[in-house]
């Protein structure tokens, strides 16, 4: 069960469109799940909420959850859907790792995304086993913007208390046991940056001798 941010509305997800980042949902109205009504919401507007359903609502909720799960499994049989699904999984995982790196006291954070989906992950990062099992996105390589298609705009900056913490590099590795691991490196800029922030950070790194 999910709560809609800013509204006193609770819903069960029926289906997710990973390209549009929306979900088709069944609403809960007066302690009853309305299967005949669907609403489409942005994923960013949904917040997980632990709710105990009782009686008929619980029975219907369980039935709808099973129905949605079966639909997801059916969708995963489609190659293009499976690719979009996996790309979104990787993007969400990397967003969490970058956020954790911004909070960490260290300037370096290792991450492990678990087992690879070979048919998709190699394509996402341009890896080839065993010839090329590692790739670095960085200011030094002048290619950190290559991750924008996967992670969106300004994924690599975090501003707090007048300081901008930014990602200087992300290295992704395919291990021998076919796990996807890597390292994120962070630096601080003692001001808030707007506009073409990467040009500012590049100058900052040039002056500090790190590029």
């Amino acid at each position: 069960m999910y709560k809609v941010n800013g509204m006193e509305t609770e819903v069960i997800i029926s289906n997710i469109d990973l390209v549009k980042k929306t979900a088709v949902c069944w609403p809960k109205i007066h302690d009853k799940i309305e299967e005949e009504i669907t609403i489409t919401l942005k994923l960013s507007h949904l917040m997980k909420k632990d709710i105990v359903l009782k009686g008929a609502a619980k029975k219907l909720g369980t039935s709808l959850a099973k129905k949605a799960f079966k639909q997801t499994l059916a969708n995963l049989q489609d190659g293009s859907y499976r690719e979009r699904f996996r790309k979104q999984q990787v993007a969400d995982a990397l967003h969490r790792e970058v956020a954790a790196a911004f909070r960490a006291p260290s300037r370096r954070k290792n991450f492990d995304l678990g087992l690879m989906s070979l048919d998709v992950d190699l394509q996402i990062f341009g890896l080839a086993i065993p010839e090329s099992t590692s790739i670095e996105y960085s200011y030094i390589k002048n290619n950190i913007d290559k991750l924008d298609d996967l992670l969106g705009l300004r994924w690599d900056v975090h501003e707090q208390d007048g300081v901008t913490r930014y990602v200087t590099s992300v290295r992704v590795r395919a291990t021998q046991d076919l796990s996807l691991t890597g390292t994120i490196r962070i630096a601080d800029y003692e001001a808030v940056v707007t506009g073409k922030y990467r040009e500012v950070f590049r100058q900052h790194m040039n002056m500090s001798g790190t590029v």
Side-chain angles (χ1 to χ4, degrees):
M1 185 70 72
Y2 288 80
K3 187 178 185 300
V4 182
N5 287 335
M7 299 176 62
E8 293 300 321
T9 303
E10 295 161 356
V11 298
I12 287 180
I13 293 177
S14 166
N15 201 4
I16 294 175
D17 187 322
L18 293 175
V19 176
K20 296 181 180 179
K21 296 187 178 180
T22 59
V24 177
C25 307
W26 293 295
K28 178 171 172 267
I29 302 174
H30 302 307
D31 294 325
K32 180 183 177 183
I33 299 170
E34 296 292 346
E35 188 179 3
E36 302 302 318
I37 301 174
T38 59
I39 54 177
T40 301
L41 300 166
K42 291 183 178 180
L43 293 177
S44 58
H45 291 176
L46 298 176
M47 179 176 62
K48 188 77 169 70
K49 184 177 181 181
D50 294 326
I51 300 172
V52 177
L53 298 175
K54 299 179 180 179
K58 180 179 180 180
K59 185 176 180 180
L60 180 58
T62 301
S63 173
L64 294 178
K66 288 180 179 179
K67 182 178 178 180
F69 182 70
K70 287 181 180 179
Q71 182 60 52
T72 299
L73 289 180
N75 290 342
L76 287 173
Q77 303 306 308
D78 178 82
S80 61
Y81 181 91
R82 186 170 65 251
E83 180 179 338
R84 295 195 303 271
F85 186 88
R86 177 58 181 171
K87 281 185 176 180
Q88 191 61 49
Q89 275 189 321
V90 172
D92 289 345
L94 280 177
H95 274 298
R96 289 193 295 271
E97 295 296 340
V98 170
F102 285 144
R103 295 191 301 268
S106 171
R107 298 293 183 90
R108 168 178 171 163
K109 184 184 185 303
N110 296 327
F111 62 85
D112 187 340
L113 303 185
L115 287 176
M116 299 176 61
S117 177
L118 285 173
D119 59 337
V120 180
D121 293 5
L122 296 181
Q123 178 185 353
I124 292 175
F125 297 109
L127 301 175
I129 297 175
E131 293 83 5
S132 176
T133 59
S134 176
I135 185 169
E136 178 184 299
Y137 301 91
S138 66
Y139 283 87
I140 293 176
K141 298 287 186 181
N142 197 30
N143 66 347
I144 197 164
D145 60 314
K146 298 297 184 183
L147 287 175
D148 291 354
D149 286 343
L150 179 66
L151 301 177
L153 299 177
R154 295 185 68 85
W155 62 269
D156 52 336
V157 292
H158 176 72
E159 298 166 354
Q160 186 172 355
D161 299 328
V163 175
T164 302
R165 178 160 279 200
Y166 65 99
V167 176
T168 62
S169 70
V170 177
R171 178 172 287 279
V172 179
R173 306 179 190 87
T175 66
Q176 290 184 344
D177 63 358
L178 300 182
S179 291
L180 202 61
T181 67
T183 303
I184 300 168
R185 294 182 183 273
I186 301 292
D188 289 334
Y189 184 76
E190 300 298 324
V192 173
V193 181
T194 58
K196 297 180 179 179
Y197 64 93
R198 286 181 179 145
E199 292 183 7
V200 175
F201 296 151
R202 182 175 296 281
Q203 292 176 6
H204 176 242
M205 294 178 73
N206 280 330
M207 292 177 63
S208 62
T210 53
V211 174

